[in-house]
Amino acid sequence: MAQRWSKTAAALLLAAALPAGATTVECIVPSKPGGAMDLTCKLAQQGFALQPEAAPKQVHISYLPGGIGAVAWHSMVSQRRRAEPDTLVVFSGGSLLNLAQGKFGKASAADVRWVAALGADYGMIAVRKDSPYKTLADLVAALKRHPEQVLIGVSGTIGSQDWVKMALVAKQAGVNPRALRFVALEGGGEAFTALQASYVQVVPGDASEATLNYGRGNTRVLAVLSEQRLPGVLADVPTAREQGVDVVWPIIRGVWMGPQVSEADYQRWVATFGRMLENKQFAQLRAAHGLYPFGLTGAALTEYVRKAVDDYGKRASELGLVR
């Protein structure tokens, strides 16, 4: 009897150590499986395991694709879900770009609660391993000759993050972005699947997605859109700048939650992610997921997002995407 009581007491003490209401968490990926959004949820899931005394017992990852984040956004700001205390939604710089262009309707950055940025990513441009394009210069030359003959797979439609990356590269090369042929797909996982099926010939995706595919030996990365070469498996890939194309595209990755989540629950999650970001083992996890150091939580992240949306709006205007 005493032994049975001690086990029960231990279980109760463990439950008491967990944040209230956090025994089960839903992490929503606003795209199809396999892309960088999916990676972000899985990184958070593994990061929670580094804090066993305060970790949720179960992290359920669900997929809610549509409009590169628009469906998930409207689902969480609806009356039914806007106060859910243990539901997190992944976002990226692409989400903020869409927000800046009004692709989420009349939504603004102030409509939700920004919890944590877990890391940074960078844009990149990839082709199949057997592609005739060996360098970024080869691709640019093909776009100058016959832009209509190069199929470019992007997450989303005109104005999406992938579209803007490729449009900036084309503009630098003197090619009108409107002359390019884009194929709209839903998420990085689908884009790389389309690439390997030869449905598209180029993917201007994210370095974290390329890291996953690079090791399979079927992908060639022509350029990374970072200030300097990236460490890890892409270390030998030159930047676009090295190849005469001055385009840099950093990407923030993190999570937000509904607008009517209580202040106590919101601060609980801000503190949880704050501890995660301070854990040295988390830095190793982040690197394994192809992400780079960048961590903000709570008010600091909220201010960063506000400024980023303003900046993305200006870039979109320069490309004629916002009037």
Side-chain angles (χ1 to χ4, degrees):
M1 176 70 78
Q3 183 179 16
R4 187 162 57 239
W5 182 89
S6 63
K7 289 181 179 180
T8 302
L12 289 172
L13 287 172
L14 176 61
L18 291 166
T23 55
T24 301
V25 175
E26 181 181 13
C27 187
I28 295 177
V29 178
S31 67
K32 292 184 178 180
M37 293 281 204
D38 195 4
L39 278 177
T40 306
C41 256
K42 290 174 180 174
L43 174 60
Q45 184 180 42
Q46 294 173 29
F48 290 142
L50 299 176
Q51 314 176 54
E53 74 287 349
K57 292 179 180 178
Q58 181 179 7
V59 178
H60 173 66
I61 298 178
S62 58
Y63 299 90
L64 197 57
I68 311 299
V71 172
W73 182 281
H74 291 298
S75 172
M76 289 303 297
V77 298
S78 68
Q79 288 299 127
R80 185 173 66 86
R81 305 200 68 176
R82 56 196 288 121
E84 290 183 1
D86 295 311
T87 299
L88 303 167
V89 186
V90 173
F91 77 93
S92 72
S95 312
L96 305 183
L97 176 63
N98 284 348
L99 192 59
Q101 294 178 69
K103 291 194 173 185
F104 292 176
K106 295 181 179 180
S108 78
D111 290 345
V112 300
R113 310 202 75 169
W114 303 94
V115 181
L118 302 183
D121 201 348
Y122 288 92
M124 63 85 223
I125 298 174
V127 296
R128 277 172 54 115
K129 191 75 171 181
D130 57 2
S131 169
Y133 311 130
K134 308 297 184 186
T135 65
L136 184 59
D138 291 340
L139 174 59
V140 166
L143 293 175
K144 285 182 175 180
R145 288 194 305 269
H146 299 291
E148 74 286 351
Q149 293 182 9
V150 182
L151 292 178
I152 304 165
V154 298
S155 296
T157 55
I158 292 176
S160 71
Q161 177 171 233
D162 289 355
W163 187 97
V164 171
K165 290 178 216 167
M166 201 67 216
L168 290 172
V169 169
K171 191 175 180 181
Q172 278 272 318
V175 178
N176 184 349
R178 301 286 177 171
L180 304 181
R181 287 189 65 190
F182 292 100
V183 177
L185 301 164
E186 186 66 49
E190 188 169 272
F192 273 93
T193 298
L195 180 67
Q196 296 310 323
S198 295
Y199 181 54
V200 299
Q201 294 146 312
V202 182
V203 169
D206 303 333
S208 58
E209 297 166 347
T211 297
L212 280 180
N213 289 273
Y214 204 63
R216 297 168 186 164
N218 55 14
T219 301
R220 176 185 298 129
V221 180
L222 301 182
V224 288
L225 306 183
S226 52
E227 294 88 350
Q228 299 175 338
R229 292 198 185 194
L230 300 175
V233 299
L234 301 181
D236 292 333
V237 178
T239 67
R241 277 182 172 173
E242 286 180 68
Q243 301 175 77
V245 179
D246 190 13
V247 176
V248 173
W249 192 269
I251 305 159
I252 184 176
R253 299 206 175 278
V255 293
W256 56 266
M257 55 199 320
Q260 290 187 350
V261 171
S262 72
E263 183 65 16
D265 284 320
Y266 173 65
Q267 293 300 337
R268 164 169 60 88
W269 281 114
V270 168
T272 297
F273 279 101
R275 290 191 298 271
M276 183 188 297
L277 290 166
E278 291 172 358
N279 191 306
K280 292 182 180 179
Q281 289 178 278
F282 179 76
Q284 298 171 359
L285 280 177
R286 180 174 54 207
H289 283 73
L291 297 180
Y292 304 92
F294 184 88
L296 290 175
T297 59
L301 174 61
T302 301
E303 180 61 15
Y304 176 92
V305 167
R306 185 189 66 78
K307 291 180 178 178
V309 170
D310 287 344
D311 182 59
Y312 280 131
K314 292 173 184 174
R315 286 201 181 202
S317 294
E318 292 170 2
L319 290 170
L321 299 171
V322 178
R323 302 295 179 187

